[in-house]
Amino acid sequence: MIRTWITQHAFVLLHTLKSLFSTPMTSLLSIIVMGIAMSLPTGIYIVMKNVQSAAGQAIDLPQMSLFLKYDLTPQDLANIRKRLEEDPNIVSFQYVSKEAALYQLQQSSGWTDITIHLSRNPLPDTFILHTQASSSESLEQLRHAMQKWPEIEHVQFDSVWIERLHELLKLGRFMILMLAIFLSIAIIAIMFNTIRLQILTQQNEIEISKLIGATDSFIRRPFLYFGTLQGFLSGVAALMIIAFFIEKLNEELVGLTRVYHIDFHLQHLSVDDSLSLLIFSACLGWSGARISVASHLWQIEPR
Amino acid sequence: MIIFKNVSKRYADGYVALNNIDLNIDAGEMIFLTGHSGAGKSTLLKLIAAIERPSSGTITISGQNIAQLKLSAIPYLRRQIGFIFQDHKLLFDRNVFNNVSLPLQISNFDNKTRSSRVRAALDKVGLLKKEKTMPIALSGGEQQRLCIARAIVHRPNILIADEPTGNLDVAYAREIMSMFTSFNQVGVTVMISTHDGSLLEDTQHRILVLNQGKLAA
């Protein structure tokens, strides 16, 4: 019984592959169209995910800069260090002397000329802190406390841009969701139409099969296989498009990151994400086929 | 085995194809249905296989009321019946063997059983040597025999033939009639519609006459 069932399904799968390859150009074109449609939201998703992970550490650990007053003794510096080490809210800190800050500034392209004309170093000594404060309230408290230290000129958050990025990413995620929904509908529509054309060419066979005792699931099976397979292959196409896109983009990014002295390149889609995409695209293909077969079977139902 | 009670069939446009039919067919009986074209012969046969649904009345086959059958149960009713359609309904994109194989594929028979049964059916109608031929290359009589092979391959209890000798010359028609007689002799209930009275002259079997949707006594 089970063996019969398996051979039945294997037969249908084989038949589906055959019909897919019997019109290679048509199949390939619809797979590419559906693949491109699918790669669009997925591509934006992967770029965003990369930006997010690049900004990730900064988001996890809010950064603060302590600008020190101009004339401080080494003892003052030692006091600050001691206090920072004792504060449980501060995960790590880094001291940047005014000389080091000036040197960094001179190293950055475009600033050399300006710094030559300075009579003295205008930059203050700075401590850069990573805090583990999670809410903006606790950050504010910390800032307030440190502002009262006698050696401190000014405390500045470096996390404003991160909050803005956060908001932008949120907006981005929303747009991806919208895009994904509409393109999913488009893919279902493409599948619906593909199956509709197939049903029209096989209307005779369907009608006769029904007249001699075929169940609806028997009639549906090859079309559902076709939809699922084509959806799956579109997912594969989308993965290939995205991999190609990321490779090319990384080549371009090499130049850009060299100029900005940062190490950043796009990561490929993770295995989990790739599998989800394949499963999702197969489901889309199946749904399109299912809706199409249901509506057309109803039309040719003898009443 | 097949019981019609007060069965009427009225189409959506108001045309009454069958009017208050009462009919009782025993298991293993062979029965002819005759009458002018448009008398309702095809409609009556189609009601048995639930290809048409009655407007009123009950049709019982082996104790099962066809008029109230759920859509999902219809395929299983049709598998008990071999139907030879007036317009043949052959699939011209596949060869003789695969045409006959279709009912077995639908009923999930395995490959081995399928080929042996298909060859047995083709042998009975004398088409065994043409199993690889495409239907388009067959003569009218051969196409008719192909339909018969497809109708008997799944060994139905009931065989229904709608004008099986329609376009055939008399010799061919007699040959086909003798095929039906031999199926009936192994216990199959056979119903044949024909407007060709000459075939019924020397028959021993019951003849039903339909006239404008009514059964004449």
Side-chain angles (χ1 to χ4, degrees), chain A residues 4 8 205 208 210 213, chain B residues 76 78-79 89 94 106 108:
Chain A
T4 320
Q8 277 285 313
E205 182 182 347
I208 293 171
K210 277 189 79 83
Chain B
Y76 303 96
R78 290 182 185 158
R79 289 179 195 180
K89 297 210 185 288
R94 62 196 68 188
I106 284 168
N108 276 352

Side-chain angles (χ1 to χ4, degrees), chain B residues 117-134:
Chain B
R117 286 220 189 170
V118 169
R119 296 218 166 85
L122 285 174
D123 191 32
K124 272 181 198 152
V125 300
L127 282 179
L128 194 52
K129 283 181 184 150
K130 302 217 167 183
E131 65 171 50
K132 296 231 159 57
T133 313
M134 298 302 273

Side-chain angles (χ1 to χ4, degrees), chain B residues 196-207:
Chain B
D196 189 354
S198 66
L199 285 168
L200 307 177
E201 280 163 6
D202 52 355
T203 185
Q204 309 293 313
H205 301 289
R206 181 143 72 113
I207 300 170

Side-chain angles (χ1 to χ4, degrees), chain A residues 16-145:
Chain A
T16 311
L17 281 170
K18 238 191 257 170
S19 74
L20 210 62
F21 283 113
S22 67
T23 53
M25 215 48 208
T26 320
S27 303
L28 193 67
L29 282 177
S30 22
I31 287 169
I32 288 174
V33 169
M34 286 163 64
I36 290 173
M38 217 124 40
S39 66
L40 216 63
T42 319
I44 300 173
Y45 163 78
I46 186 69
V47 169
M48 248 184 60
K49 203 176 172 188
N50 272 290
V51 171
Q52 206 168 4
S53 77
Q57 284 108 5
I59 288 173
D60 292 342
L61 297 173
Q63 214 181 50
M64 258 182 180
S65 298
L66 300 184
F67 298 112
L68 307 184
K69 286 188 174 151
Y70 201 72
D71 296 309
L72 290 182
T73 64
Q75 182 58 42
D76 291 330
L77 283 179
N79 285 342
I80 297 174
R81 272 181 195 280
K82 196 159 172 257
R83 261 176 275 156
L84 290 176
E85 273 163 12
E86 282 166 1
D87 194 326
N89 283 318
I90 287 155
V91 179
S92 68
F93 62 89
Q94 187 194 348
Y95 174 68
V96 183
S97 70
K98 49 185 170 259
E99 293 79 18
L102 184 65
Y103 179 74
Q104 268 183 18
L105 191 60
Q106 282 167 344
Q107 289 300 303
S108 318
S109 55
W111 289 89
T112 323
D113 297 342
I114 298 166
T115 51
I116 283 170
H117 298 294
L118 293 171
S119 56
R120 64 179 189 95
N121 184 357
L123 301 169
D125 293 324
T126 314
F127 278 99
I128 296 167
L129 318 177
H130 285 112
T131 73
Q132 62 175 7
S134 50
S135 68
S136 50
E137 274 169 33
S138 54
L139 273 173
E140 190 57 41
Q141 267 177 10
L142 198 63
R143 191 183 77 95
H144 206 71

